[in-house]
Amino acid sequence: MVQRVSTGSPFEATFGYSRAVRHEDTVYVSGTTGYDYATMKMPESVGEQAKNALATIDKALKEAGSSIQDTVRVVYYVGDRADVDQVVAAVGPVFKDIRPAASMLIVQMIEEGMKIEIEVTARIGAATSHG
């Protein structure tokens, strides 16, 4: 079984990708930026962008039958090394008990104003086996 999840981002249609793809019990979430879909704006703060990205990721995971608690791998793409502490402050409380495998890279973003992109892989049911 393959299920594709869309958040309606214009990038999904333009680039030709899904926000998330579920294959059996694994959900792969595409790199997600910190766009605030409620205000239709990109916040200035990297911390707020990280929180927004995680909220979008969690929503996509839930639509695929999972949640952020099932995350087994997370990759952070950060636009500026100086922002790392703010990113850690934003994502640490979310993942401190989940403890997925993780990587963080300093990269150049594709659009001005984007400061972080986050992608995750989740396994449905992983939350019940953490510990």
Side-chain angles (χ1 to χ4, degrees), residues 74-88:
V74 60
V75 180
Y76 305 99
Y77 302 93
V78 181
D80 188 334
R81 185 174 282 110
D83 289 339
V84 169
D85 288 344
Q86 290 179 62
V87 170
V88 171

Side-chain angles (χ1 to χ4, degrees), residues 63-115:
E63 191 172 328
S66 187
S67 75
I68 201 92
Q69 286 77 28
D70 288 328
T71 300
V72 294
R73 176 129 178 89
V74 60
V75 180
Y76 305 99
Y77 302 93
V78 181
D80 188 334
R81 185 174 282 110
D83 289 339
V84 169
D85 288 344
Q86 290 179 62
V87 170
V88 171
V91 303
V94 174
F95 290 116
K96 70 181 175 100
D97 294 328
I98 301 167
R99 307 282 300 265
S103 298
M104 184 178 289
L105 302 154
I106 306 302
V107 301
Q108 185 173 8
M109 296 291 161
I110 63 170
E111 287 207 1
E112 194 172 326
M114 289 180 178
K115 297 181 178 182

Side-chain angles (χ1 to χ4, degrees), residues 14 20 25 31 39 49 51 54 65 71 78 89 94 96-97 103 111 114 116-117 119 121 125:
T14 305
D25 69 346
T39 65
Q49 288 188 25
K51 289 175 186 176
L54 291 176
T71 300
V78 181
V94 174
K96 70 181 175 100
D97 294 328
S103 298
E111 287 207 1
M114 289 180 178
I116 187 164
E117 188 167 324
E119 71 179 58
T121 303

Side-chain angles (χ1 to χ4, degrees), residues 21-43:
V21 175
R22 175 181 174 177
H23 178 256
E24 297 177 358
D25 69 346
T26 304
V27 184
Y28 305 92
V29 182
S30 296
T32 303
T33 61
Y35 194 73
D36 183 341
Y37 289 101
T39 65
M40 301 306 282
K41 294 182 179 176
M42 182 70 73

